[in-house]
Structures are given as C-alpha cells and as structure tokens.
Amino acid sequence: MDAVLRIFRGDAQGGQFQDYTVPLHEGMVVLDAIHHVQAHAASDLACRWNCKAGRCGSCSAEVDGKPKLMCMTRMDEFQPSEPITVAPLKAFPVIKDLVCDVSWNYEVNKRIPPFHPKPPEPDGTWRMQQEDIDRVQEFRKCIECFLCQDVCHVLRDHEKKDSFAGPRFFVRVASLEMHPLDVASRTAYLEEQGGIGLCNITKCCTEVCPESIRITDNAIIPLKERVVDDFYDPVRLAWRWLTRRDRAP
Amino acid sequence: MMVVSGELRRPRFGATERRDAWWVAPLLQGLVLASLIAYANWAAFQGTNYHVGGYLSPLYSPLITVDWLPVPPSFIILLPPVLFRATCYYYRKAYYRSYFLDPPACAVAEIRGTSYRGETAFPFVLQNLHRYLFFITFLYLPFLWSDVVHATNFGGSFGIGVGTLIILLNTSALTLYSFSCHSARHLIGGNLDCFSCSAFNRARHAAWSRASVLNERHMLFAWLSFFTVCGADLYVRLVASGAIVDPRLL
Ligand code: SF4
Ligand code: SF4
Ligand code: FES
Ligand code: FES
C-alpha cells in the first residue's frame, strides 16, 4: 500500500506543499517516509535528524498540523486515503523545507541565571538526598526538541520572542530553581525577562512534549507560585516592607 | 507531482493543518461549563427550597438565617467559592480556551496580535491572588462536613437517605478539589528546595507528595465537584418542593 506525503518545499521567501507517494511498510515512521522521498524523488529535500530514536530532538516537524518528532510518529496512525501533511515548525523561521532556524532558543538559554551551588561541605563535596533530587529529574528528560516552544501560542501567535522565554526554558529554570544545592533566585528573571506572566497555562506545551514532561503542572505553575511569593503576595510584600528585607537571594 | 499552494504562517483565525475535530473539546467544555454556571446562578437566586429536614443545599452552606439581606444569602456565601473557581489554574485553562479562544486548541491559529498581555495586566494579573481564595474557601470545609452530619439526622434519630449520600459525595468532591489545588501544593511543601534539611521539611515533603498525587487529578475533581454541587442542590430542591420523596436507606 502507498501513502501520500504532502511536504512543505521552500525557504524563508516562501514555498508550497508538494505531494510525494511513498510505499508503506510495517513499523514505518514519518521520518522513514521522508528518507524514502529523499532517496527516490527529491534528493534536495532538507530535513534534520540524527538518532531516529526520539533522543536527539532534531526531527521536530508538524505532521498533519500537530507538532511531533517525525521519528516517533508511526505512519499507521494516519488514514492511507488522505495525504499526510509534513511542515516545518511554524514558530521559527524556515531555512529550507523542513529545517528551521531555532537559534533564538540558544540565545534565551544564555540569559538564564546559571546554577549557583551553595558552599561545599568540609570535605569539599556536596551531598544530596534522593528525595530532594527526584523532583528535578523529570526536567532533565528534556531533549530540546522545541515542540513545546513551537506550539505555545505566546510565541506562535503573539510573537513575544522578545519578552517570553517559552515552556522549554521554564522547564530549565525549574530544574535549577528547585535544585537542592542551588542558592540563586530566578524569580526576578521569570517575572521580568522570562515573562512567565504571559503564559496563560493553557497546557499545549504539555500536550506535545514527547518526553511527557508535565511542563505546566510541575514546572510552570510551581514557578508562577514562586513568583507570586516574591512579587504579588500582599502579606509577604507587607512583611518584607516592614522588616525591610529584600527578596530571597 | 501535484503542487498545492500553501501559506506556512496562517494568520486566519482557526487555520490549522490538523485533521481531527479539534473544535469539539473546547465547544463541549464551554457548553457544559456555561450550563453549570447558569444552573448555579439560577439556584442561588431562588432563595427557597434549599433546606429540608437535615439536608442543606451546598449553595446555601453555611446557613445564614438573617432575613434583612437585600440579596439571597447564597450570593454572599458563594462569592469566595466563585472567585476560587474563577482563579483556579484548571478553570483558567478551560475558559481561556473555550471562551477567549486564546488559543481555541493547540496549533490552531487564533486572533493574532502583539497586544496580548496574558496574565501580566489587569484583570488577569489578579489570578495571582488565587492562594487567598484557597485560604477563605478552605474555611468552608468544616461547615460542609457538618452538613454531612446534619444530613444523617432524621427528626432526632440517625438515618441515611439518598440525600445523605449525595451530600457526602459532594463534600468529599469539594474536599478533594481543595486539597488538589496547585497553590495548596506549593504552600504545603512545593516552595521548598531541600526536603530533607529538617524534620519539619520532611513532614512537608510527605504532605507535598500526597498533594501531588491529588493534584494530578485536579481537573477531574474540578469537574466532579461542580457537578456534585449542582446535583446536590437540585436534589435538595426537588425534595424540598415535594417533587420527589427522598428514599430512606437506613
Ligand atoms: S501552558 Fe503556557 S507555556 Fe505552555 S503552551 Fe500554554 S501558554 Fe505556552
Ligand atoms: S520540554 Fe518536552 S517538548 Fe519542550 S523541548 Fe523539552 S522535550 Fe521538547
Ligand atoms: S531523529 Fe532524534 S529525535 Fe527524531
Ligand atoms: S488550582 Fe484549581 S483550585 Fe487551586
């Protein structure tokens, strides 16, 4: 049996969707189909990939309108009678075909206050208990596929790249902020540069994360609550004003 | 090879390459939520048939018996729980999607524009006070549990009717809804970085772990408790008006 892939072909100037017929085989994923097109019909079709195992986060695209890893999306999920649309991520500028320029993300990453450990113990080491580190393990699963950044309407529809870090970086901030050894505070970063208030917790990031990180519930909302502690809670604000204490370091 | 014209960035509202019925969930959710809100408003405005025997409608609990209020007592009673729900992280998601279409569904184009302020400007910036509404509505729980005890009182003797079970179910659902709240989860232990650093922190870690289990089901409890509140009110209303007879089980 055959399937039809409707693939975006073009670059920053524009482009169009083009149809390619691909023979189906057992266990085939969308990335296999793309490779078939490259091998047999369009050797100049550009796409990024690396591991074909859902580990490297390179093969992100929009398959039938949904942000997905092409290597983890099976062809048998789709009706063979209908063309399957494959488009590049919409939140980032297209370089060519399915390849986007995601470098904005790396710039955002550089602005996050880095890990700042407390002083080591007398023997020069740090020790952590399992129960303290369990929570941040979830955030370490991120493969930087940027599917969450792509689907987030604050970036995708409202184009707030200048004032919003996006869900992937809230996950990163959560991994630092909740770390038992870290002593830096990132609430001012979140409130100001990170723009966490722009997130309206509508959870699309969580829906698309291939690593099933509960981005909104476990990273963003707890961070929003920490921002409330430092910037909005009237009782805490009054207490800090009365005791002339600044926010936590 | 067929060439189809396509614009990659789709500014038109609702534009998407999604083929599934993405509009069903927000539509259904919006309709059900609107129906529950409409019922609760209607019932709160009635001011009658909310109390019969040991049964009290949750919309009128705690019972206020003064008669000089310009509005039905339920209006005053309901203000904190209404604001609690309105600022709830789950309901926010639901109504931003269904009523503000911001976004209508994931990867579906919404009305674009850079004037979007999210929860950084009035009125939505007030969502940040959700924890205070949690504190206030938390005080309702003892009253709601005492309503369960009252609902076992049939003219001075202990008994259980269908209404008792409905009121018990409702109070349980409301308790689970409160204990699964994101703000509660933060305050109970989520705001700590080191759970093992003291005996008190370890106790808070245990509480946080339990709150996290409940929190995973917060959406379920949000819906369940809204249905049970309206359902319990309706049941009490039907019994009080004589439309149905409450079957006594024990
Ligand atoms: S929950 Fe927030 S960060 Fe995640 S997609 Fe929605 S608006 Fe963006
Ligand atoms: S949080 Fe999930 S969706 Fe976002 S970049 Fe990491 S793995 Fe991808
Ligand atoms: S190719 Fe590595 S995640 Fe798909
Ligand atoms: S988050 Fe839903 S009640 Fe607090």
Side-chain angles (χ1 to χ4, degrees):
Chain A
M1 208 184 337
D2 289 346
V4 174
L5 284 196
R6 184 164 287 175
I7 306 173
F8 177 80
R9 303 299 315 270
D11 54 26
Q13 270 64 55
Q16 72 272 317
F17 284 92
Q18 225 161 298
D19 284 4
Y20 299 92
T21 304
V22 185
L24 287 172
H25 60 74
E26 179 88 34
M28 190 176 191
V29 292
V30 173
L31 186 61
D32 292 323
I34 295 287
H35 285 161
H36 187 277
V37 174
Q38 278 181 327
H40 297 95
S43 57
D44 62 338
L45 170 64
C47 99
R48 248 193 215 120
W49 71 285
N50 207 308
C51 66
K52 203 171 170 279
R55 304 309 319 152
C56 72
S58 315
C59 64
S60 303
E62 298 194 4
V63 185
D64 265 0
K66 290 191 185 170
K68 284 186 185 286
L69 294 178
M70 290 192 286
C71 70
M72 300 303 284
T73 309
R74 290 173 65 107
M75 292 292 281
D76 58 14
E77 280 176 31
F78 306 96
Q79 293 288 339
S81 52
E82 303 246 12
I84 303 164
T85 310
V86 188
L89 303 181
K90 291 199 178 62
F92 300 107
V94 179
I95 297 174
K96 184 175 181 327
D97 304 334
L98 301 178
V99 176
C100 291
D101 177 3
V102 293
S103 56
W104 169 81
N105 291 287
Y106 305 119
E107 296 307 313
V108 174
N109 195 33
K110 287 183 202 157
R111 293 195 284 270
I112 295 174
F115 182 63
H116 193 301
K118 64 184 178 191
E121 291 174 33
D123 62 1
T125 64
W126 285 271
R127 286 186 193 82
M128 294 179 285
Q129 299 303 315
Q130 187 61 42
E131 73 229 56
D132 292 327
I133 205 72
D134 275 343
R135 179 171 43 165
V136 296
Q137 294 281 309
E138 178 184 15
F139 309 134
R140 310 288 300 186
K141 291 193 300 179
C142 173
I143 56 171
E144 293 218 316
C145 62
F146 302 131
L147 291 176
C148 56
Q149 303 285 79
D150 176 51
V151 82
C152 176
H153 71 129
V154 181
L155 298 169
R156 188 185 178 96
D157 292 290
H158 302 298
E159 302 185 42
K160 293 285 185 191
K161 288 209 181 81
D162 51 344
S163 50
F164 185 65
R168 188 284 169 262
F169 295 105
F170 297 141
V171 167
R172 169 131 201 277
V173 170
S175 77
L176 297 168
E177 194 64 17
M178 299 175 192
H179 197 289
L181 297 181
D182 178 81
V183 289
S185 169
R186 294 166 191 80
T187 51
Y189 165 79
L190 289 168
E191 169 68 4
E192 289 146 21
Q193 279 173 283
I196 198 165
L198 291 172
C199 161
N200 67 353
I201 49 164
T202 35
K203 283 198 171 176
C204 290
C205 49
T206 307
E207 282 184 26
V208 301
C209 178
E211 285 296 307
S212 305
I213 301 173
R214 294 178 56 221
I215 304 175
T216 322
D217 286 352
N218 288 350
I220 298 179
I221 294 176
L223 290 176
K224 276 191 175 245
E225 286 292 321
R226 287 175 184 228
V227 169
V228 174
D229 285 347
D230 286 353
F231 289 89
Y232 295 100
D233 187 322
V235 173
R236 282 178 197 247
L237 290 178
W239 176 251
R240 272 206 301 275
W241 182 77
L242 282 172
T243 56
R244 308 216 181 282
R245 236 189 267 163
D246 218 349
R247 281 193 306 274
Chain B
M1 204 179 295
M2 188 184 86
V3 177
V4 286
S5 70
E7 186 194 2
L8 207 54
R9 287 202 154 235
R10 291 161 176 263
R12 193 167 42 81
F13 173 76
T16 181
E17 282 136 19
R18 281 180 65 167
R19 285 177 206 272
D20 54 340
W22 57 265
W23 46 271
V24 173
L27 182 70
L28 214 64
Q29 171 178 274
L31 288 175
V32 174
L33 195 56
S35 314
L36 289 170
I37 293 170
Y39 175 81
N41 269 293
W42 172 83
F45 204 67
Q46 297 307 301
T48 54
N49 289 337
Y50 56 81
H51 196 193
V52 55
Y55 297 166
L56 175 65
S57 156
L59 293 175
Y60 290 79
S61 175
L63 190 60
I64 299 180
T65 44
V66 292
D67 52 10
W68 43 261
L69 291 172
V71 288
S74 54
F75 272 74
I76 295 161
I77 297 165
L78 286 181
L79 193 64
V82 164
L83 292 175
F84 182 50
R85 281 186 192 251
T87 57
C88 161
Y89 283 97
Y90 170 69
Y91 284 108
R92 272 144 79 177
K93 173 200 168 204
Y95 63 74
Y96 288 140
R97 281 203 192 191
S98 289
Y99 300 151
F100 292 84
L101 307 174
D102 202 0
C106 304
V108 174
E110 62 183 74
I111 298 161
R112 299 170 72 96
T114 45
S115 59
Y116 172 81
R117 304 284 302 275
E119 297 187 336
T120 62
F122 184 82
F124 297 121
V125 71
L126 295 177
Q127 311 275 30
N128 286 316
L129 298 177
H130 178 63
R131 59 180 60 174
Y132 285 94
L133 293 152
F134 167 76
F135 294 144
I136 299 170
T137 46
F138 197 72
L139 301 175
Y140 282 53
L141 292 178
F143 291 100
L144 290 161
W145 280 104
S146 88
D147 291 344
V148 177
V149 176
H150 287 303
T152 61
N153 182 349
F154 288 81
S157 59
F158 177 82
I160 291 178
V162 170
T164 317
L165 298 183
I166 291 177
I167 290 171
L168 172 67
L169 176 70
N170 175 53
T171 300
S172 308
L174 286 170
T175 306
L176 289 168
Y177 175 59
S178 297
F179 279 104
S180 61
C181 166
H182 285 277
S183 291
R185 182 187 183 216
H186 169 76
L187 295 165
I188 212 158
N191 54 3
L192 294 173
D193 290 340
C194 181
F195 290 132
S196 64
C197 289
S198 69
F200 185 52
N201 284 16
R202 275 194 290 277
R204 289 182 64 192
H205 176 240
W208 173 81
S209 304
R210 285 180 194 114
S212 300
V213 172
L214 293 179
N215 179 260
E216 280 183 35
R217 294 162 186 82
H218 190 56
M219 176 178 94
L220 170 73
F221 298 141
W223 281 111
L224 183 70
S225 59
F226 209 160
F227 275 107
T228 59
V229 164
C230 293
D233 175 86
L234 181 66
Y235 189 81
V236 172
R237 196 164 288 288
L238 291 174
V239 174
S241 65
I244 58 170
V245 178
D246 175 51
R248 184 78 185 264
L249 304 173
L250 207 71

